[in-house]
Amino acid sequence: MKELALPYQYDRRRPTSLKWSNWYLSILKLAVGLLLVLLIALLWLLHRNEIDDQRATLIADVLWLEQSVRFHLEGNSEQLQQLALDLARVRKPGETFDLRARHILKNNPELRQLLWLDAGARTLHGMPTQSLPRAGQETSGEDPLKRSIELARLGKPIYSDAYRTTETSQFEVYVPIFDDGHYRGILLGVYSLNGLLKQQVPWWFAEKYQVRIVDGNGSLLASKSKIDASPTTLSYPVSLDPPGYGMVLQVTAYRGADNLAQTLIATLIIILAAAVFWSLWAVRGLIQRRLFAEQALRSEYAFRKAMEDSLVIGMRARDLDGRVTYANPAFLQMVGFSAEELIGREPPMPYWAPEEMERTLLLNKRVLQGKAPHEGFEIRLMHKNGSRFDALIYEAPLIDADGRQTGWMGSIIDVTERKHAEELARQQQEKLQVTARLVTMGEMASTLAHELNQPLAAITSYNTGCLNKLESGNFTTTQLKEALGKLAVQAQRAGHIIRRVHDFVRKSEPKLAPCDLAEAIDDSIGFIEGAAKSRGVRIVREIQGMRPELLADQVMIEQVLLNLMRNGIEAMAEASADRRRLTVKLSQRENQMEIRVIDHGPGIPPEIEEKLFTPLFSTKADGMGMGLNICRSIIEFHHGRLWVESNPEGGSIFVMTLPIGRQ
């Protein structure tokens, strides 16, 4: 093997090996070529013999069919001649004709019509009709009916030429009627060529051949076939006499399935022989490239080893039993162990954190069962010095060159710093949300003071009235009880307002609990209704009857609604009084609840819509540009969506959706 690693030593052996391979391959190529020629010759001879056999069979079948048709026509002619003799002898020839004609037509479906003409060519009787099959003169000026009758008066049955009708092609037979040597009339039978083929060509014949009747000009008069296949060039014509007039019975053989099979086999043999010939030609190159491949393999291995050693992502391979078979330097640096300490080690691993041992064992079992999540999983691992770090692990099957799975390859990413940054960002986002709520409450301070003044003034009034009643001594227990009850109602109202404000502004962790969105909408409208009235804006709520509860933080949802409603109220500051209407609509869309906040302001230009939810972007002169960004973050925390649409009636529609079935 060491010699193979040296290029100049390989080149010294190259001429000898190539000379031997060229001689050996040349003999094989010659043998394959000779075999290919012999196979082609054999197939050609077999094909020629088969064609000759098929042609001999075709001729025999055609002659049999022609003889069968001729015998049938002659038999029918004899029946008509016997009928002609009987008509000249019996007393009631009309009844005899009807009876015998019905019998002949029934037993010979190819006969479409049978007529009895008198000596003047007038119709006496007919079956099934008495109308002549064709009347008038041909383009040559000669009447074909009279011409055929004149020929039949000579004493023998006469056949007419074939002609076409709207339904089929047909010909006629004329049988004279003589009584004591005197001509008394004629029997006329009309044959359908298609009917003749239908009755005389058996089913097995039609499945093997295409049968056609053509006239002297080669025009098709009738045909019959049973299968939908392409005919071959193997055909045999024979004259159809009677009726004659150049009519030809032409039979063409179909391409048999055995022919197709032989052609396919021959093609495959040629292809396989060519493939063998080509493969022998390719072997020479393969032998030459095999020696180069060994060196290339070593170079490739060294390249991949250098690439894996340079990765900052940890790579760790395990067999199907979970034993470590490979670890790159990045992973060894993460856990602080050497390769010798880990290679061949079975679970549990020394870098597994004891406090996460149960969960780690469960995840390890799922990985070995092939159930590792495609999106990866996070787990806490332990450095050799005892420090912990968070790792994101992706597991993938380890496949060998034969396509068999030999283990699992894991990619390990240290996400400790990322998780720390995410926690800081979450805390900052929470602070921004609390600040936004405080700013909102500050902006609505006058409205809240007005809301509290009403119940406090009522409490003062009821209290003064009770004192006056007590001092006067002119009172009843019922009067005092009613006044104190009203006083308690107003105290509860003031407490509800204070509690609502407290819940809204207090700092707390997001709490997912069953939430009624209609209640959240009502509370939000209660916060902002005073500010809306001061600006002349009417708030309309449209809430569907059935409202499934969903898991959400109601205070955070109210914060989003307040922000969106306040923006809508401010947007309608310049609108006319009749258009100052803010609509809050709640509905269900499949497995989601949808809230729409609709205003009739000037709307949002398309170029601003794209930037509307980005941080620090605001359309207000004194805005911080964080309100809508915080709103979208809150909705995305609830696995929902928040976007803006144009109102067809003018203004904007802010739409947010929240999933119903999420746990």
Side-chain angles (χ1 to χ4, degrees):
M1 294 299 294
K2 292 182 178 180
E3 293 182 353
L4 297 179
L6 300 175
Y8 69 91
Q9 291 180 346
Y10 172 75
D11 289 340
R12 282 203 303 265
R13 292 196 309 272
R14 181 179 178 185
T16 303
S17 60
L18 288 180
K19 181 178 179 180
W20 172 85
S21 63
N22 287 336
W23 172 254
Y24 177 74
L25 292 175
S26 297
I27 296 177
L28 291 178
K29 291 176 189 176
L30 182 60
V32 171
L34 182 59
L35 176 62
L36 182 61
V37 171
L38 293 176
L39 285 174
I40 294 174
L42 177 61
L43 291 173
W44 182 82
L45 290 175
L46 291 175
H47 180 66
R48 292 304 306 169
N49 290 336
E50 184 181 3
I51 291 177
D52 292 341
D53 292 342
Q54 190 176 8
R55 183 171 185 81
T57 303
L58 171 64
I59 293 174
D61 290 342
V62 172
L63 293 177
W64 172 86
L65 179 62
E66 185 272 336
Q67 186 180 27
S68 177
V69 172
R70 178 160 50 83
F71 285 168
H72 182 74
L73 292 177
E74 291 177 352
N76 288 346
S77 178
E78 291 176 359
Q79 292 186 54
L80 294 178
Q81 291 181 41
Q82 184 62 45
L83 177 59
L85 291 175
D86 294 342
L87 292 177
R89 299 173 183 173
V90 297
R91 294 182 179 181
K92 296 180 179 181
E95 295 180 2
T96 301
F97 175 83
D98 290 343
L99 181 63
R100 297 280 293 279
R102 186 176 294 108
H103 176 75
I104 292 173
L105 291 176
K106 181 179 180 181
N107 293 330
N108 300 277
E110 69 275 7
L111 273 171
R112 302 189 63 194
Q113 191 178 16
L114 198 59
L115 297 173
W116 178 12
L117 307 181
D118 61 10
R122 294 182 297 272
T123 305
L124 297 177
H125 293 277
M127 281 289 228
T129 64
Q130 294 187 8
S131 60
L132 293 174
R134 55 176 174 173
Q137 296 181 345
E138 296 179 341
T139 55
S140 61
E142 186 178 3
D143 189 344
L145 181 64
K146 291 182 179 180
R147 181 187 61 194
S148 299
I149 292 175
E150 291 297 329
L151 293 175
R153 292 181 66 173
L154 298 177
K156 292 184 179 181
I158 296 298
Y159 290 89
S160 71
D161 58 341
Y163 58 92
R164 292 185 180 88
T165 65
T166 57
E167 298 178 2
T168 183
S169 297
Q170 58 190 29
F171 66 93
E172 302 153 0
V173 59
Y174 296 82
V175 178
I177 302 174
F178 289 95
D179 185 11
D180 294 332
H182 297 285
Y183 174 71
R184 300 300 183 186
I186 201 162
L187 287 178
L188 190 154
V190 181
Y191 280 96
S192 168
L193 284 173
N194 283 325
L196 184 64
L197 291 181
K198 182 178 180 181
Q199 295 300 318
Q200 296 303 309
V201 178
W203 63 269
W204 59 266
F205 199 96
E207 288 186 353
K208 290 175 60 178
Y209 307 107
Q210 181 188 60
V211 183
R212 306 170 69 213
I213 296 179
V214 297
D215 59 14
N217 298 323
S219 300
L220 178 65
L221 297 175
S223 66
K224 180 179 180 181
S225 61
K226 284 289 185 181
I227 59 175
D228 184 14
S230 58
T232 63
T233 57
L234 189 60
S235 178
Y236 187 77
V238 64
S239 297
L240 195 60
D241 189 11
Y245 293 97
M247 277 192 286
V248 175
L249 182 66
Q250 189 177 60
V251 179
T252 304
Y254 285 115
R255 188 179 302 277
D258 52 347
N259 292 338
L260 294 176
Q262 289 181 4
T263 303
L264 181 61
I265 292 173
T267 303
L268 290 176
I269 290 174
I270 294 174
I271 292 175
L272 289 175
V276 172
F277 191 80
W278 175 83
S279 64
L280 291 175
W281 179 265
V283 165
R284 176 178 176 273
L286 292 176
I287 294 175
Q288 179 181 357
R289 288 193 296 270
R290 184 188 64 184
L291 300 177
F292 290 113
E294 293 180 0
Q295 179 61 33
L297 181 61
R298 284 189 284 269
S299 300
E300 182 71 15
Y301 175 78
F303 172 77
R304 291 185 177 274
K305 186 70 170 61
M307 181 176 63
E308 292 169 3
D309 291 345
S310 65
L311 290 176
V312 296
I313 298 176
M315 303 292 292
R316 177 212 57 202
R318 296 184 295 169
D319 61 16
L320 295 175
D321 296 325
R323 287 187 293 268
V324 178
T325 58
Y326 169 77
N328 73 337
F331 178 72
L332 297 176
Q333 185 177 0
M334 285 182 190
V335 298
F337 292 93
S338 64
E340 291 74 14
E341 293 175 299
L342 295 182
I343 300 300
R345 202 56 195 269
E346 294 183 352
M349 300 301 176
Y351 50 82
W352 288 359
E355 65 273 12
E356 295 278 339
M357 186 62 66
E358 184 176 353
R359 178 171 177 265
T360 307
L361 285 171
L362 179 61
L363 288 173
N364 178 74
K365 182 179 179 181
R366 293 188 62 188
V367 169
L368 296 181
Q369 291 175 349
K371 299 179 181 179
H374 297 289
E375 66 276 9
F377 57 89
E378 288 189 8
I379 193 172
R380 175 154 293 187
L381 299 179
M382 181 178 65
H383 193 272
K384 188 176 182 179
N385 60 14
S387 61
R388 270 61 168 173
F389 66 95
D390 294 311
L392 176 61
I393 301 178
Y394 296 92
E395 294 281 359
L398 193 60
I399 308 300
D400 65 5
D402 297 326
R404 296 175 301 182
Q405 182 179 353
T406 59
W408 301 92
M409 175 61 75
S411 301
I412 299 94
I413 305 173
D414 188 345
V415 295
T416 305
E417 294 296 329
R418 191 194 72 183
K419 293 191 68 174
H420 180 66
E422 289 176 352
E423 178 63 21
L424 291 178
R426 188 192 64 79
Q427 295 176 3
Q428 187 66 24
Q429 183 75 9
E430 184 181 340
K431 292 178 181 179
L432 284 174
Q433 292 174 11
V434 175
T435 302
R437 291 201 291 269
L438 290 174
V439 171
T440 300
M441 297 310 302
E443 293 176 351
M444 296 191 300
S446 60
T447 302
L448 293 173
H450 177 71
E451 286 194 20
L452 284 172
N453 276 334
Q454 291 182 358
L456 292 176
I459 291 172
T460 302
S461 176
Y462 288 132
N463 182 61
T464 302
C466 290
L467 291 175
N468 291 336
K469 285 286 185 180
L470 290 172
E471 290 177 357
S472 66
N474 184 17
F475 64 90
T476 63
T477 306
T478 303
Q479 290 176 338
L480 288 178
K481 185 177 180 180
E482 181 180 355
L484 290 174
K486 292 180 179 180
L487 187 148
V489 170
Q490 295 300 323
Q492 290 175 358
R493 179 183 174 190
H496 178 70
I497 293 172
I498 294 173
R499 184 173 63 255
R500 188 170 60 189
V501 173
H502 175 265
D503 290 340
F504 186 76
V505 299
R506 69 186 176 90
K507 181 181 184 298
S508 63
E509 294 290 333
K511 181 180 180 181
L512 297 180
C515 172
D516 187 351
L517 291 180
E519 181 180 342
I521 292 174
D522 290 340
D523 287 347
S524 302
I525 292 176
F527 273 127
I528 207 167
E529 194 168 20
K533 289 180 179 178
S534 66
R535 293 173 178 261
V537 176
R538 181 166 56 95
I539 300 178
V540 180
R541 60 191 290 275
E542 297 180 5
I543 299 177
Q544 65 178 16
M546 298 299 294
R547 304 184 303 274
E549 285 190 344
L550 47 79
L551 294 178
D553 189 313
Q554 185 164 330
V555 173
M556 298 176 76
I557 299 300
E558 290 176 5
Q559 179 180 355
V560 174
L561 288 171
L562 275 175
N563 200 321
L564 297 180
M565 288 191 290
R566 187 179 63 215
N567 289 345
I569 292 171
E570 294 175 353
M572 293 185 288
E574 304 297 330
S576 58
D578 59 331
R579 288 181 57 81
R580 294 181 186 177
R581 183 177 73 257
L582 184 70
T583 303
V584 182
K585 182 183 296 185
L586 173 64
S587 60
Q588 182 175 350
R589 295 285 186 270
E590 297 179 353
N591 60 341
Q592 292 184 332
M593 297 299 294
E594 181 183 89
I595 301 177
R596 290 176 171 262
V597 180
I598 307 170
D599 66 63
H600 294 82
I604 301 173
E607 61 273 10
I608 295 181
E609 281 188 9
E610 301 177 358
K611 308 175 183 177
L612 201 59
F613 295 94
T614 57
L616 305 178
F617 177 81
S618 176
T619 57
K620 305 175 186 177
D622 56 348
M624 295 187 301
M626 295 301 295
L628 289 177
N629 178 257
I630 292 175
C631 289
R632 173 170 278 184
S633 299
I634 291 174
I635 298 302
E636 290 177 351
F637 169 76
H638 289 81
H639 298 274
R641 292 179 59 221
L642 173 63
W643 71 93
V644 64
E645 298 176 355
S646 297
N647 188 354
E649 300 176 0
S652 302
I653 303 175
F654 282 85
V655 187
M656 67 178 182
T657 59
L658 295 170
I660 295 175
R662 186 180 66 84
Q663 296 297 327

